Amino acid sequence: MSIKILLVDDHSLFRSGIRLLLQRNPEFEIVGEASDGLEGIKRAKQLKPDVVLMDLNMPGLSGLEAMQLIVEDLPDTAVLMLTVSEEAEDLTTALKNGARGYLLKNIEADYLTQAIKRAAAGEPVIAESMTAKLVMQFRSGNNVSTAPEREKLTPRERETMVCLARGESNKEIARNLDVAESTVKIHVQNILKKLNLTSRVQIAVYAVEHGMDK
């Protein structure tokens, strides 16, 4: 089955370029486009895409605001922020509020296609150049603390959390921990439930924020 994609960006020329790029891949189906956040929400509810590529800064309703509403209404839809902003604050705000990933518009075409596939499979995706900023954002202040929830997790779940903070896929985690991939999925679901989180990205952010990423 193809991965259904919705493009949300206020620049029509950029949308056209991304559409032409992705249409070359038989695994992708561009099901719709929108030029602002409000239209993006309406189209997402109507089309129920697997992945939404969302610009961050748009007139009217911003990408961040639209993303939050889409994630609330369509939890199975992965929203990838695709932006020019390299601000660490924009990155952390997006991830904390439910974005599956954060990509920069200057990324290579191959990286974008792989990122879309990973996001559709439930994996978090962050531009490599932004990963260090994510860690620094949390560690630069006094917000790194020992989380009381740490005691809720089993030793294996804590190991899984460390791997998630490194951005590893289920397959990579299974190999590193020498367990079945299905077992990793169970650990991830347990972590989400115990920490009251909704996505793998939020687990990674939580781990770094509370010093549980190593």
Side-chain angles (χ1 to χ4, degrees):
M1 295 180 63
S2 60
I3 297 173
K4 297 184 295 183
I5 302 171
L6 172 66
L7 306 177
V8 184
D9 195 293
D10 60 319
H11 292 96
S12 60
L13 187 60
F14 181 79
R15 291 200 314 272
S16 297
I18 293 295
R19 183 179 67 251
L20 290 173
L21 169 66
L22 298 180
Q23 283 177 336
R24 298 174 187 169
N25 192 318
E27 297 178 76
F28 298 148
E29 178 187 359
I30 308 301
V31 294
E33 298 181 25
S35 59
D36 59 56
L38 185 58
E39 184 184 0
I41 294 172
K42 293 179 180 178
R43 298 289 279 164
K45 289 182 179 180
Q46 174 189 9
L47 300 168
K48 294 180 173 56
D50 300 305
V51 176
V52 176
L53 289 181
M54 175 87 70
D55 190 15
L56 185 69
N57 297 309
M58 294 182 287
L61 195 69
S62 72
L64 281 175
E65 294 170 313
M67 176 270 296
Q68 288 179 258
L69 293 173
I70 291 174
V71 169
E72 288 176 5
D73 290 341
L74 303 169
D76 293 331
T77 294
V79 180
L80 289 180
M81 308 308 296
L82 186 58
T83 176
V84 297
S85 174
E86 297 186 42
E87 296 296 325
E89 186 174 349
D90 286 337
L91 168 66
T92 54
T93 299
L95 297 182
K96 281 185 174 181
N97 286 284
R100 185 73 56 83
Y102 194 97
L103 305 173
L104 300 178
K105 288 186 174 181
N106 62 359
I107 61 173
E108 298 291 335
D110 288 344
Y111 189 94
L112 176 60
T113 57
Q114 291 302 315
I116 292 173
K117 292 177 185 178
R118 290 179 60 188
E123 300 176 22
V125 183
I126 302 174
E128 292 180 1
S129 61
M130 297 298 292
T131 303
K133 292 186 178 184
L134 174 64
V135 176
M136 290 176 62
Q137 176 76 356
F138 287 118
R139 290 180 175 167
S140 60
N142 297 318
N143 55 344
V144 174
S145 60
T146 300
E149 290 84 355
R150 179 193 297 268
E151 303 307 320
K152 296 181 181 179
L153 305 179
T154 67
R156 191 57 103 182
E157 288 167 355
R158 290 198 291 268
E159 290 176 339
T160 301
M161 179 177 257
V162 171
C163 294
L164 289 171
R166 292 199 294 257
E168 295 180 6
S169 66
N170 283 351
K171 185 176 294 185
E172 291 170 329
I173 296 173
R175 184 173 61 249
N176 291 336
L177 300 184
D178 193 24
V179 297
E181 194 169 341
S182 58
T183 301
V184 174
K185 293 179 181 179
I186 293 173
H187 289 328
V188 172
Q189 290 303 314
N190 287 341
I191 294 170
L192 290 171
K193 183 176 181 180
K194 290 180 179 180
L195 301 185
N196 195 29
L197 302 174
T198 59
S199 72
R200 295 166 62 98
V201 171
Q202 288 187 354
I203 293 176
V205 171
Y206 186 97
V208 175
E209 187 175 17
H210 294 87
M212 299 172 66
D213 58 324
K214 56 185 178 179

